[in-house]
Amino acid sequence: LSEYMFPDRQFKDHGINNTIIFFGSARIRSEKEFHHEYESLKAHLEDCSEDQKPTIEQKIRILEKQSELTEYYLEARDLAKMLTEWSLQFPKPKRFIICTGGGPGIMEAGNRGAYEAEGESIGLNISLPFEQMPNPYITPDLNFEFHYFFLRKYWFAFMAKALVIFPGGFGTLDELMEILTLVQTKKIHKKMPILIYGEKFWKKVINFDYLVETGMISAEDLDTITYVNSPKEAFEVLTRAFQEQFRL
């Protein structure tokens, strides 16, 4: 009950009615963090014992594969900053507030962009066996930690006016599919743009066209998603949709 009532009170006190959700991996690092970890592993490889080398080499290979994803951190940060700067022109109840899962990676990038634009942002963190610490860019009064996934997901969906889905793993896929299911089944009635950021990544991960071909989903279901590949493109899609829907 407290995980419903406390966020509800905080959002009302801050005049927050509209959010833009940023979903994405906690493992996508900034370029600076990536190079720091990469150089650390390289140095460790030179000093480690022979039996440790295969493990370190595997970590390096995985990290090298992730190097192409570091751009998404910067782009999520840029998009959050652009949206926050745009939103600050409106009176508070009409503003669109960036909301993330509160952790590192893409989540940090979203909160960081809003912070750099001098706007508020929300972090809906979750207590996990492997500790996910909240990032330092969340507005302090809007930094929440949940025990229950279902209440965290409720707060993601309840005030969301749009979603931007950056590359991620199981958690991001879970969040994306749940929202798509709620929209498909009309449990979410509001018009809500769903932007899938990074067409190259996502078309390797999910073949939506094959789901249509096999009749697992309808062709109309794909109308709920839009692929975007740059902060500028995402910004234009979202602001145009908001202006039409909310008569801004």
Side-chain angles (χ1 to χ4, degrees):
L1 188 58
S2 68
E3 291 189 2
Y4 170 77
M5 295 181 68
F6 180 67
D8 184 56
R9 172 50 52 200
Q10 293 297 91
F11 294 141
K12 286 177 180 174
D13 287 348
H14 282 258
I16 295 173
N17 298 312
N18 308 311
T19 60
I20 303 171
I21 306 302
F22 276 39
F23 287 142
S25 177
R27 302 183 187 190
I28 294 179
R29 302 157 177 81
S30 67
E31 191 172 350
K32 181 180 178 181
E33 289 173 324
F34 170 82
H35 285 299
H36 175 74
E37 184 167 352
Y38 185 75
E39 294 304 323
S40 296
L41 283 171
K42 283 284 193 179
H44 188 30
L45 183 63
E46 293 177 6
D47 300 331
C48 71
S49 62
E50 286 299 318
D51 61 326
Q52 290 178 316
K53 276 189 176 180
T55 301
I56 304 299
E57 287 170 345
Q58 183 183 25
K59 287 182 179 179
I60 289 172
R61 285 194 296 272
I62 291 171
L63 203 59
E64 286 172 343
K65 193 68 177 174
Q66 288 181 359
S67 66
E68 62 193 62
L69 303 180
T70 58
E71 64 190 57
Y72 291 114
Y73 180 98
L74 179 60
E75 291 175 9
R77 178 180 168 186
D78 287 346
L79 177 58
K81 185 176 181 180
M82 292 164 67
L83 288 167
T84 302
E85 288 173 341
W86 172 80
S87 183
L88 285 171
Q89 69 181 292
F90 304 114
K92 202 162 191 183
K94 292 185 177 181
R95 288 181 190 166
F96 298 87
I97 309 299
I98 301 298
C99 178
T100 80
I106 292 296
M107 297 174 279
E108 177 185 286
N111 294 120
R112 185 174 181 178
Y115 175 84
E116 290 170 344
E118 299 184 356
E120 294 178 315
S121 71
I122 301 165
L124 306 180
N125 216 312
I126 185 78
S127 57
L128 298 170
F130 42 97
E131 196 68 29
Q132 176 175 293
M133 299 299 292
N135 70 70
Y137 301 104
I138 306 164
T139 301
D141 287 350
L142 303 174
N143 184 358
F144 307 98
E145 181 170 309
F146 291 85
H147 174 73
Y148 296 104
F149 264 113
F150 77 93
L151 274 160
R152 181 178 184 244
K153 289 180 175 183
Y154 168 83
W155 282 117
F156 270 133
F158 181 67
M159 294 185 298
K161 299 303 183 290
L163 292 97
V164 187
I165 314 293
F166 287 86
F170 284 163
T172 305
L173 285 164
D174 171 58
E175 290 154 341
L176 168 61
M177 292 304 176
E178 180 163 46
I179 295 297
L180 288 176
T181 301
L182 291 171
V183 170
Q184 183 194 53
T185 57
K186 310 298 183 188
K187 296 299 182 182
I188 288 179
H189 295 281
K190 58 191 172 186
K191 187 176 180 181
M192 187 163 60
I194 300 173
L195 275 57
I196 298 187
Y197 196 107
E199 191 170 1
K200 179 182 175 183
F201 174 90
W202 283 111
K203 286 198 169 179
K204 288 181 179 179
V205 175
I206 308 173
N207 190 339
F208 284 117
D209 292 332
Y210 185 67
L211 291 176
V212 174
E213 288 173 23
T214 54
M216 298 298 102
I217 62 174
S218 302
E220 294 75 22
D221 290 329
L222 296 187
D223 294 339
T224 61
I225 63 174
T226 303
Y227 287 102
V228 292
N229 296 297
S230 72
K232 183 176 183 291
E233 185 183 7
F235 177 80
E236 289 174 353
V237 170
L238 288 175
T239 53
R240 185 168 58 247
F242 293 153
Q243 286 164 351
E244 290 174 2
Q245 184 176 353
F246 300 101
R247 301 179 185 275
L248 298 173

